[in-house]
Amino acid sequence: MGKGRLEAFSDGVIAIIITIMVLELKVPHGTDFAALQLAYPVFLSYILSFVYTGIYWNNHHHMLHAVQKINGSVLWANLHLLFWLSLIPFATGWMGENHFAELPTALYGVVLLMAGIAYYILSRSLIRMHGDNSQLAQAIGNDVKGKLSVAAYAIAIPLSFANRWLALGMYVLVAIMWLIPDSRIEKVIRN
């Protein structure tokens, strides 16, 4: 079957996720910097989550651009990814409202870990459907970045209880790693 409806549905869900996150930002009561300073944990967690959501949207777009069709397995794998992405606003809000406390920071990592695993499953479903010689399979290759990301999340989750700032730093580093343009798919499609 065609991929158009899957792309449109996914884009819509991701747009709603971003909308929910921004609606959770509360306007500070007061007009001085002290009032604004109280909102910084919520705002910082929003920025991080906005970046992560944007990274997933961008990579999802590129991945689907490299394939021609989908099947039921891909539909379910995509829903699995969207489920974990849909939990980002909850984890973001809890972490920000509680000033990056240990358990909320660990839960944030669990959501990122599961979204990373779900993205891997989706990519494998698409490769399985299109073959090991497909453009997508060639572009993704061994997916070192994806595997490093999942490993970093798995380390950061228990680290949240020992040093939440190091765990948060790992989440930021993974986001930065993905912000560096990943042109693997574009290169393969151009050739």
Side-chain angles (χ1 to χ4, degrees):
M1 63 184 96
K3 61 184 179 175
R5 289 190 67 203
L6 177 107
E7 288 175 306
F9 178 73
S10 300
D11 287 351
V13 170
I14 291 170
I16 290 168
I17 289 167
I18 290 172
T19 302
I20 291 169
M21 285 190 310
V22 78
L23 290 175
E24 288 296 314
L25 294 176
K26 304 298 181 219
V27 176
H29 298 288
T31 59
D32 57 0
F33 283 111
L36 195 56
Q37 190 175 6
L38 293 173
Y40 91 90
V42 173
F43 188 65
L44 289 178
S45 61
Y46 167 77
I47 291 171
L48 182 61
S49 294
F50 184 90
V51 167
Y52 265 111
T53 306
I55 288 167
Y56 273 104
W57 175 78
N58 194 334
N59 288 314
H60 187 270
H61 170 76
H62 279 87
M63 184 166 53
L64 288 175
H65 188 70
V67 299
Q68 290 73 42
K69 58 189 186 251
I70 60 167
N71 61 16
S73 174
V74 170
L75 288 173
W76 283 109
N78 193 70
L79 278 174
H80 180 230
L81 171 63
L82 293 176
F83 170 77
W84 291 107
L85 293 180
S86 74
L87 291 177
I88 287 177
F90 172 78
T92 300
W94 197 33
M95 184 172 69
E97 287 291 328
N98 292 290
H99 298 251
F100 308 104
E102 292 84 358
L103 184 58
T105 301
L107 176 72
Y108 188 79
V110 169
V111 171
L112 294 178
L113 172 68
M114 296 308 295
I117 290 169
Y119 188 85
Y120 177 81
I121 291 169
L122 176 59
S123 68
R124 291 290 126 200
S125 296
L126 285 165
I127 290 170
R128 190 171 37 255
M129 181 178 184
H130 290 83
D132 291 333
N133 294 323
S134 66
Q135 287 182 328
L136 181 61
Q138 291 172 24
I140 290 179
N142 290 330
D143 195 21
V144 174
K145 253 169 108 167
K147 291 174 184 172
L148 282 174
S149 301
V150 168
Y153 302 143
I155 292 167
I157 292 166
L159 183 61
S160 298
F161 297 102
N163 188 326
R164 65 187 185 201
W165 300 112
L166 281 178
L168 192 61
M170 289 181 77
Y171 303 150
V172 170
L173 284 175
V174 172
I176 290 170
M177 180 176 71
W178 283 100
L179 276 177
I180 297 169
D182 187 2
S183 58
R184 295 178 295 177
I185 293 176
E186 288 178 358
K187 283 180 186 175
V188 169
I189 290 173
R190 263 189 254 135
N191 295 334

